Amino acid sequence: MAAGLGKRMRSKLGKVLHPVAGRPMVLYAVELAERLTDEGVAVVIGHQGDRVKVVLDGYAAGRTGSTTSHGSRPVAGREKGMTAHVKNPASKPSSILIAEQKQQLGTGHAVMQARSAILRARGRAAGTYLILNGDTPLLTEATVRRLLKVHEEEKAAVTILTAIVEDPSGYGRIIRAHMEGEPRQVLKIVEDRDATVPESAVREINVGTYVVDGAFLFQALDQLQPKNVQQEYYLTDVVKLAVDRGLGVSAMIVTDADEGLGVNSRQQLAMAERVIRERIRARWMDAGVTLHDPATAWIDADAHIGQDTVLYPHVTLDGDTSIGEDCVIRSHTRITNSTVGDGVIIQDSCVITDSRLEDRASVGPFAHLRPGSVLGRNAKVGNFVEMKKTELGEGAKASHLSYLGDARIGRDVNIGAGTITCNYDGYRKFETIIEDEVFIGSDTQLVAPVKVGRGSVIAAGTTITQDVPPNSLAISRTVQANRVGWASKRRAWLAGGEPGERRPTSGKGQVVSQRKGN
């Protein structure tokens, strides 16, 4: 279920779209649901539904090349008695159905919309339904599998996941019968705003995860009534309906209360972020990645890191970033949506965005690779070099203090310090092409569009405005003039002025003489 407004977030962005470790919150529940079923996942959208659908389409397309079908708490259906099993998400097509909740009339109403989508797609109900909230990103697959097992073993009509927390405010309370000598039977779930004073003191809360018998769920949905403060159809009332009919209601208390955290506020969002990132760091260390200061490594959920790579303190890997094996990434570097090959060294304080670094490339320190940058094998970008939409060929080097934009640079090219590709004329961008084995001297400007032929040498201090043929020397400088003795004469004149005498200056701030003839 992902239709809610999320008022307590106080945000213009829908709650389930808020990112946790770089991934929209709703995708944690969607991916979990897809791992647990082969029978399809219905996602209920409502508030900012178009934006949620874009996220879901991107998720499905990224996995399989497909898009979602119309039809976010997700509701995953599976046949009665079927054991769900883990699958690699990339190994099967996405099976997301979208159900729209045009009016947000409660969780029960949301599941009604999911029912319609499932029946349209499948033509029949499933034997069992798993219902998840789109705002519980910390829930793990192992916990949900245990919940499914409890439901199956106890032959319950409804099985709910609960947690014991210190501060239950904001959550529905689990109300049990008072029985001695055996687990107390669940009688009902009371929403926080509807709870009496004694009920508010209960610390066992509803996590919002349910397993429900398919036939009973559809019957119960038709009996829901909005008899509450909010005038909404509560899914929690399904528990009371099962009790009234004498059907089994089971509950499983989650071992780690963090898993039951529903994100309803900025504070809870920050807590979820902390837990997810701790899990991510632990997972990569278990996989053979060295984190010199784990607490400061900021690794997004969709990032990938190869074995024996080393991350120094304060490294950030954003978005869909892939780092190869045996890499070294030093402190205060941020890499976003980029691919890094094996054996790459990235020095301190680099920013790399939407770029590709091939094996054994070297970057930094203080380098900035903007979108579209490509470094070939063994290529080097040094300190204070900026690249944008530029390919630097295998073995090529731009060691310091250069700007390379909209350029194609070949193999074994040397870019001298202070080189600039002048790619913008104020209206349009133009390309610079530098072929293999070219030597570019320091302080060179290449005014695009321009091409430097293979094996050529560009003299230091040159401005290139025309194509350079292969194996040529290009040089454009004014003739140097040396005035012998001029400096010593100037120093003597400056030292011989009267005290308090004003030295007039030219418009450029240079001292000039008032003496006749000078």
Side-chain angles (χ1 to χ4, degrees), residues 388-391 403-409 420-434 445-451 464-465 467:
K388 189 274 299 181
K389 200 177 179 182
T390 290
E391 299 179 15
Y403 170 72
L404 306 173
D406 294 281
R408 284 185 286 151
I409 301 170
I420 299 172
T421 59
C422 306
N423 56 327
Y424 184 50
D425 68 356
Y427 298 94
R428 293 173 295 171
K429 298 288 183 73
F430 297 94
E431 186 177 53
T432 296
I433 299 174
I434 301 173
Q445 301 87 46
L446 298 109
V447 183
V450 71
K451 178 179 179 180
I464 298 295
T465 58
D467 289 353

Side-chain angles (χ1 to χ4, degrees), residues 135-138 171 207 257-263 268-269 271-272 275:
D135 63 357
T136 53
L138 303 182
Y171 295 97
V207 169
D258 280 345
E259 288 193 47
L261 176 69
V263 175
Q268 291 170 338
L269 180 65
M271 291 174 62
V275 173

Side-chain angles (χ1 to χ4, degrees), residues 17 181 222 392:
L17 294 172
D222 291 334
L392 190 64

Side-chain angles (χ1 to χ4, degrees), residues 420-481:
I420 299 172
T421 59
C422 306
N423 56 327
Y424 184 50
D425 68 356
Y427 298 94
R428 293 173 295 171
K429 298 288 183 73
F430 297 94
E431 186 177 53
T432 296
I433 299 174
I434 301 173
E435 295 186 340
D436 297 347
E437 301 170 359
V438 167
F439 182 91
I440 305 289
S442 297
D443 195 28
T444 293
Q445 301 87 46
L446 298 109
V447 183
V450 71
K451 178 179 179 180
V452 179
R454 179 173 183 150
S456 289
V457 174
I458 310 300
T462 293
T463 299
I464 298 295
T465 58
Q466 302 176 31
D467 289 353
V468 178
N471 298 306
S472 300
L473 169 65
I475 182 170
S476 63
R477 301 175 184 156
T478 60
V479 177
Q480 181 173 326

Side-chain angles (χ1 to χ4, degrees), residues 82-93:
M82 180 183 294
T83 301
H85 58 281
V86 179
K87 289 196 173 186
N88 182 342
S91 69
K92 65 176 182 177

Side-chain angles (χ1 to χ4, degrees), residues 56-115:
L56 296 172
D57 283 343
Y59 164 79
R63 285 184 45 196
T64 64
S66 64
T67 58
T68 58
S69 59
H70 287 280
S72 258
R73 297 173 199 190
V75 181
R78 65 190 186 104
E79 292 301 325
K80 192 169 185 178
M82 180 183 294
T83 301
H85 58 281
V86 179
K87 289 196 173 186
N88 182 342
S91 69
K92 65 176 182 177
S94 182
S95 56
I96 298 174
L97 308 170
I98 290 182
E100 186 176 4
Q101 187 183 22
K102 294 181 179 180
Q103 289 181 287
Q104 280 73 69
L105 300 178
T107 52
H109 183 257
V111 177
M112 292 177 193
Q113 315 315 305
R115 172 180 64 178

